[in-house]
Amino acid sequence: MRRLTVVFAGLLITGLLCSSESYASQTASEHDAQALASSPQWLTTKVYIEGEPDTDVKASYPGVVGISMWDPQRNRYEFFYTDTGRSKHADGGGGYFLVTGDKKTHILVPDVGPTRTIVRRLEKLDGSEFTYSREVPRDMVSTNPPVRIYVVHAPYTGPIKTVMSN
């Protein structure tokens, strides 16, 4: 027992005398979930396949295109159609989200629908751009091989005003 007490005392003294500087890598400050609040609405401006950033394929991936709203205070999101502003919530386009502690992963948990979670890699997030990537079947056809798509958003300044359902 005495030996254990001496070991713990030694560890305590060592901890107090050593620097408390962290050697962990710092995350990029540009990935800030609060940046989602920098605009009340975000618009999908481009969708491209990995390795083909100059080719916009939005027409092949209509399910990821739209206007989105993010509430970092409540961790709520909702998606809307760009032509009407109608909510996609009833079709799984609304729910909770979180950004992981390393600020590299963006996870959606829809309120309704067959999909329970959607995991996306956070590529860029600041006040002027929100870009994520994820693997999906090519052209969103379930029998096609998977590809990584990049979905780029910018703050929306158009005429459609949306309001979150929840």
Side-chain angles (χ1 to χ4, degrees):
M1 184 72 175
R2 178 169 161 76
R3 177 183 253 180
L4 191 56
T5 303
V6 170
V7 169
F8 282 129
L11 288 173
L12 178 63
I13 291 170
T14 303
L16 292 173
L17 295 177
C18 290
S19 170
S20 63
E21 181 179 334
S22 173
Y23 295 101
S25 63
Q26 298 294 315
T27 58
S29 61
E30 70 183 35
H31 287 124
D32 179 7
Q34 291 298 319
L36 288 169
S38 65
S39 173
Q41 300 168 307
W42 291 82
L43 175 67
T44 307
T45 57
K46 183 177 186 179
V47 178
Y48 64 92
I49 295 173
E50 187 168 51
E52 302 174 29
D54 297 326
T55 305
D56 192 349
V57 294
K58 278 192 303 203
S60 298
Y61 299 90
V64 301
V65 175
I67 298 171
S68 60
M69 294 186 73
W70 304 90
D71 182 350
Q73 300 302 318
R74 299 183 309 135
N75 284 47
R76 298 283 302 166
Y77 73 93
E78 192 163 344
F79 303 139
F80 303 85
Y81 292 97
T82 56
D83 55 348
T84 64
R86 188 173 61 84
S87 175
K88 296 182 179 184
H89 187 269
D91 300 318
Y96 290 93
F97 78 94
L98 65 95
V99 175
T100 57
D102 63 3
K103 300 180 182 180
K104 294 180 181 180
T105 306
H106 188 242
I107 301 169
L108 305 182
V109 182
D111 289 332
V112 297
T115 305
R116 293 315 318 151
T117 58
I118 300 168
V119 179
R120 311 177 324 172
R121 187 168 69 197
L122 194 53
E123 302 293 340
K124 183 174 182 180
L125 178 56
D126 60 29
S128 63
E129 183 180 323
F130 167 39
T131 300
Y132 71 83
S133 70
R134 67 183 266 222
E135 280 198 359
V136 297
R138 182 177 284 278
D139 300 325
M140 298 300 272
V141 175
S142 61
T143 56
N144 285 350
V147 294
R148 178 163 291 279
I149 60 170
Y150 291 75
V151 184
V152 182
H153 302 80
Y156 176 68
T157 57
I160 296 175
K161 299 301 176 210
T162 56
V163 177
M164 292 184 85
S165 300
N166 293 316

